[in-house]
Amino acid sequence: MLTTDYVPGTPCWIDVSSPDTEASDAFYTGLFGWDSISLGPEHRHYRFCQVGGRTVAGISTETPGRGAPAWLTYFQAPDAGVIAKTIEQAGGTVLSPPIDIEGQGGMAVFADPAGAAFAVWQPGRTKGLGLVTEAGSLGWVELHTPDPAGIRPFYQAVFGWRIEDLPMGDASYPVISPAEGGESSAMAGLAQLQAGDSPHWLPYFEVPDCDATVALAQRLGGTTHAPPMSTEGVGRMAFLADPFGARFAVITSSA
């Protein structure tokens, strides 16, 4: 499961890009009950979204390098510059080269060989999110890709991930754990991309009631891409998009 004990290769930050940060802030604070703090014009009005004073996500102003509004998953990396070279050698693309964020840490944005965007975070004063796996926070991330088997060597070369196929009904589900993690360190999964869709990393947010959250998202201007469905031993989940099209999932996990 996700934790805030961030080791290399684990999801440590997420943020959503928006053409209207005020509108996105209203949607997500209304949906998840988040509080938000703007960092002001010197930081392009980047917002920290929080639950109980602990940061659970960010909202950023849309920039040309990030493309259409979308959620971006950041993975912990001890050295953003070193891993950028590794990613290029493994067949990935640098979308935004490594930069330092005023001592808070370093970041860079990439695309994997199939085109799914992701980022790395080199921790400085900011180590990562302050809360995960609890209501209103990140509970899981999932890569939707056209060739789940073929993409494995890329991420294993970059992050050293361990990937295990776990039975799920009549099929299997590839589950990702960090190289340094123990038996309960699963943090992400691989999913078959739906026809006509584009490769992407999808964040799942934990919520107390999946169905109620979906109904609220629709009232707030969001869109349902897949209605609530239950998976035995996992929980009840739904796929959504915010008013600007950024996709995310919500899940009420099984006990």
Side-chain angles (χ1 to χ4, degrees):
M1 63 181 292
L2 294 178
T3 75
T4 54
D5 297 325
Y6 299 115
V7 299
T10 57
C12 62
W13 195 265
I14 49 170
D15 61 23
V16 63
S17 57
S18 170
D20 184 340
T21 55
E22 293 287 344
S24 291
D25 181 80
F27 174 79
Y28 286 107
T29 56
L31 184 63
F32 295 127
W34 290 344
D35 298 313
S36 73
I37 300 171
S38 174
L39 301 187
E42 63 272 27
H43 295 287
R44 297 176 56 85
H45 299 285
Y46 191 94
R47 292 177 180 270
F48 284 167
C49 301
Q50 299 183 332
V51 171
R54 290 185 283 179
T55 302
V56 295
I59 300 176
S60 71
T61 302
E62 188 177 27
T63 60
R66 289 213 26 185
W71 279 95
L72 183 65
T73 300
Y74 295 67
F75 298 96
Q76 203 263 23
D79 189 313
V82 169
I83 205 165
K85 296 177 181 178
T86 302
I87 287 169
E88 287 188 292
Q89 291 169 354
T93 303
V94 178
L95 301 180
S96 179
I99 58 171
D100 179 70
I101 311 297
E102 299 183 3
Q104 296 298 324
M107 65 165 287
V109 183
F110 307 94
D112 70 22
F118 66 98
V120 299
W121 179 255
Q122 178 183 326
R125 288 194 296 271
T126 297
K127 305 304 179 185
L129 300 174
L131 183 71
V132 295
T133 71
E134 297 186 25
S137 69
L138 183 68
W140 191 251
V141 294
E142 188 174 68
L143 175 62
H144 291 239
T145 184
D147 184 2
I151 202 67
R152 296 186 190 198
F154 169 77
Y155 284 103
Q156 289 171 321
V158 171
F159 294 118
W161 286 346
R162 294 179 288 114
I163 303 176
E164 180 182 7
D165 293 306
L166 298 184
M168 186 171 291
D170 296 330
S172 62
Y173 181 62
V175 173
I176 300 166
S177 301
E180 299 179 15
E183 292 183 1
S184 61
S185 61
M187 62 185 191
L190 295 172
Q192 179 66 50
L193 187 71
Q194 296 297 307
D197 201 354
S198 56
H200 60 282
W201 278 96
L202 186 76
Y204 284 66
F205 293 98
E206 189 70 39
V207 295
D209 186 326
C210 178
D211 294 70
T213 301
V214 170
L216 178 57
Q218 291 174 333
R219 292 197 298 271
L220 292 170
T223 304
T224 301
H225 282 205
M229 55 187 174
S230 297
T231 300
E232 184 177 356
V234 177
R236 190 161 175 80
M237 66 197 77
F239 292 177
L240 306 171
D242 71 18
F244 299 108
R247 292 179 286 189
F248 64 99
V250 294
I251 183 169
T252 301
S253 295
S254 301

